[in-house]
């Protein structure tokens, strides 16, 4: 029994040391999101945005005109498929553009709006639980 507890303590200590010394304990997703958001600029290609954000978006939306109002609206969220999106851009299947949604944490979540050729047009914050609870940092 003592040997098993000693082994368990050794394993837990090893895991703690691994995360502490290899920097995983200092991983800050909010900071990563803030840095990515600051690095995204108008005209940037969608593939570069994915590189800056260190991965694809969780979801994206295709922009389409609303038949009643004729105003442009983001459609329903779609699971990201890089090959499909590249094909859609090449075949002009997204004539009004598309939107990437990035949610890093409750503090940092944003939408990146792209033109029909896949370049950044604009960006804005996405509402999260932090907005509802009024705990989002300015």
């Amino acid at each position: 029994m003592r040997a098993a507890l000693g082994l368990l303590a050794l394993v837990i200590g090893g895991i703690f040391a691994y995360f502490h010394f290899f920097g995983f304990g200092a991983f800050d997703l909010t900071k990563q999101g803030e840095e990515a958001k600051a690095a995204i600029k108008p005209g940037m290609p969608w593939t570069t945005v994915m590189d800056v954000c260190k991965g694809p978006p969780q979801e994206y939306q295709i922009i389409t005109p609303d038949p009643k109002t004729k105003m442009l609206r983001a459609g329903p969220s779609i699971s990201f498929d890089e090959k499909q999106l590249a094909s859609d851009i090449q075949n002009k299947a997204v004539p009004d553009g598309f939107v990437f949604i990035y949610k890093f944490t409750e503090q940092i979540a944003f939408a990146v709006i792209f033109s029909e050729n896949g370049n950044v047009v604009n960006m804005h914050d996405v509402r999260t639980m932090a907005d509802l609870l009024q705990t989002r940092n300015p």
Side-chain angles (χ1 to χ4, degrees), residues 57-92:
Q58 291 86 354
E59 57 192 54
Y60 76 108
Q61 301 166 313
I62 295 174
I63 299 172
T64 58
D66 184 310
K68 293 180 182 177
T69 64
K70 307 294 184 209
M71 295 179 65
L72 295 178
R73 303 185 78 128
S77 296
I78 304 168
S79 294
F80 185 75
D81 181 342
E82 186 172 352
K83 290 180 183 177
Q84 181 64 51
L85 180 58
S87 173
D88 287 348
I89 293 169
Q90 184 176 8
N91 296 327
K92 309 281 188 217

Side-chain angles (χ1 to χ4, degrees), residues 7-109:
L7 183 59
L8 180 62
L10 186 62
V11 169
I12 291 172
I15 291 171
F16 174 77
Y18 178 78
F19 280 101
H20 180 72
F21 291 115
F22 289 103
F24 294 110
F27 182 68
D28 186 355
L29 205 50
T30 300
K31 182 179 177 186
Q32 179 184 337
E34 289 169 349
E35 290 171 353
K37 184 178 174 187
I40 297 170
K41 304 292 181 213
M44 185 180 281
W46 66 279
T47 52
T48 305
V49 170
M50 289 194 322
D51 292 340
V52 166
C53 293
K54 296 183 176 30
Q58 291 86 354
E59 57 192 54
Y60 76 108
Q61 301 166 313
I62 295 174
I63 299 172
T64 58
D66 184 310
K68 293 180 182 177
T69 64
K70 307 294 184 209
M71 295 179 65
L72 295 178
R73 303 185 78 128
S77 296
I78 304 168
S79 294
F80 185 75
D81 181 342
E82 186 172 352
K83 290 180 183 177
Q84 181 64 51
L85 180 58
S87 173
D88 287 348
I89 293 169
Q90 184 176 8
N91 296 327
K92 309 281 188 217
V94 287
D96 297 308
F98 56 96
V99 180
F100 279 1
I101 308 295
Y102 278 101
K103 296 176 184 171
F104 286 87
T105 66
E106 296 300 319
Q107 293 296 318
I108 184 81

